């Protein structure tokens, strides 16, 4: 098993083809708006049959709405979801939620990510940019091994395969670079994360 989460940002038929070919190789899958808009919870159910599945709708609503969405997604087989870190003050720690702490593209998170990191305990983990390995290294040294770090931004966004893992991430999230050619999964080592955290 390689520490890669395949971001299935394609139509359902293609997503299932790619996920099928990565089954047992990738550590998990990420389902986003593409699939949910096309097929709703059926897409989550279908992908979750092939491996651990994170649903990434970048939730950012008030707590009772976020809870309702999480219940529906996890009932369909998702292990977990990604929520915007900016709603952290109203969000209770929850092992089913990854907090987005800093994006792989410029955003206002660039000003507050260190503050958010200090508030991440009790969540499943944090999302940090693979195209900024120095951010991951700093985050890992501050977090210790208690939280998962998952990292998008590999390939077209500038990160090189494996750099975020070497800096301390547990899993790299990879979309287009793998969707173009799923055999590229072999570019990642099959070693577990340094922290040995199960996942995703
Ligand atoms: P790609 O590897 O094709 O660049 O796709 C990256 C994936 O990670 C997309 O699904 C995107 O929504 C997600 N992502 C990101 O690129 N940057 C972030 O900061 C947070 C993300 O979830």
């Amino acid at each position: 098993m390689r520490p890669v989460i395949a971001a299935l940002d394609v139509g359902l038929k293609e997503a299932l083809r790619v996920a099928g070919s990565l089954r047992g190789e990738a550590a998990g899958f990420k389902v986003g708006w593409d699939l949910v808009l096309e097929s709703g919870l059926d897409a989550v159910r279908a992908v979750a049959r092939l491996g651990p599945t994170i649903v990434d709708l970048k939730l950012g609503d008030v707590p009772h709405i976020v809870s309702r969405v999480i219940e529906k997604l996890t009932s369909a087989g998702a292990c977990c979801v990604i929520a915007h870190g900016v709603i952290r003050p109203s969000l209770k720690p929850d092992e089913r939620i990854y907090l987005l702490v800093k994006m792989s593209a410029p955003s206002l998170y660039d000003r507050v990510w260190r503050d958010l990191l200090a508030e991440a305990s009790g969540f499943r983990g944090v999302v940090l940019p693979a195209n900024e390995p120095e951010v991951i290294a700093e985050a890992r040294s501050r977090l210790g091994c208690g939280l998962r770090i998952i990292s998008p931004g590999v390939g077209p966004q500038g990160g090189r395969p494996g750099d975020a893992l070497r800096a301390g991430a547990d899993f790299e999230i990879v979309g287009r670079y793998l969707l173009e050619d799923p055999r590229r999964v072999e570019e990642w080592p099959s070693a577990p994360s340094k922290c040995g955290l199960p996942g995703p």
Side-chain angles (χ1 to χ4, degrees):
M1 192 78 73
R2 298 166 203 267
V4 172
I5 296 164
L8 303 172
D9 301 322
V10 282
L12 185 58
K13 199 169 162 214
E14 177 65 359
L16 293 178
R17 191 187 68 77
V18 171
S21 74
L22 290 173
R23 188 179 193 179
E25 281 287 335
F29 304 108
K30 185 169 83 71
V31 165
W33 284 109
D34 266 292
L35 291 177
V36 169
L37 289 175
E38 183 184 331
S39 308
L41 291 177
D42 284 344
V44 178
R45 288 188 194 98
V47 174
R49 279 195 280 272
L50 299 173
T53 299
I54 303 174
V55 179
D56 175 15
L57 305 179
K58 295 194 177 59
L59 301 173
D61 213 323
V62 289
H64 73 286
I65 301 295
V66 171
S67 294
R68 289 172 63 85
V69 175
I70 292 175
E71 287 304 327
K72 289 190 169 78
L73 295 171
T74 54
S75 299
C79 60
C80 39
V81 305
I82 294 176
H84 267 295
V86 289
I87 63 169
R88 168 64 185 100
S90 61
L91 209 55
K92 283 205 212 85
D94 186 324
E95 281 286 338
R96 300 169 302 176
I97 301 177
Y98 279 102
L99 272 189
L100 177 56
V101 163
K102 191 177 193 301
M103 296 190 73
S104 56
S107 76
L108 290 180
Y109 284 110
D110 299 342
R111 299 185 197 165
V112 298
W113 70 272
R114 288 184 177 86
D115 296 335
L116 275 176
L117 206 58
E119 306 232 349
S121 92
F123 288 87
R124 191 177 196 86
V126 294
V127 182
L128 289 167
N131 50 358
E132 294 183 82
E134 65 288 353
V135 166
I136 292 173
E138 180 179 335
R140 180 55 81 199
S141 80
R142 287 180 55 191
L143 291 175
C145 273
L147 282 183
R148 294 173 187 82
I149 297 175
I150 60 175
S151 290
V154 177
Q157 297 193 57
R160 287 175 307 181
D163 277 359
L165 297 172
R166 283 184 285 276
D170 299 288
F171 302 97
E172 291 184 5
I173 296 173
V174 188
R176 290 163 289 177
Y177 189 71
L178 269 184
L179 294 169
E180 277 164 23
D181 183 357
R183 286 169 302 184
R184 288 176 174 161
V185 75
E186 287 168 21
E187 292 175 31
W188 280 266
S190 13
S193 77
K194 281 181 213 146
C195 282
L197 291 166

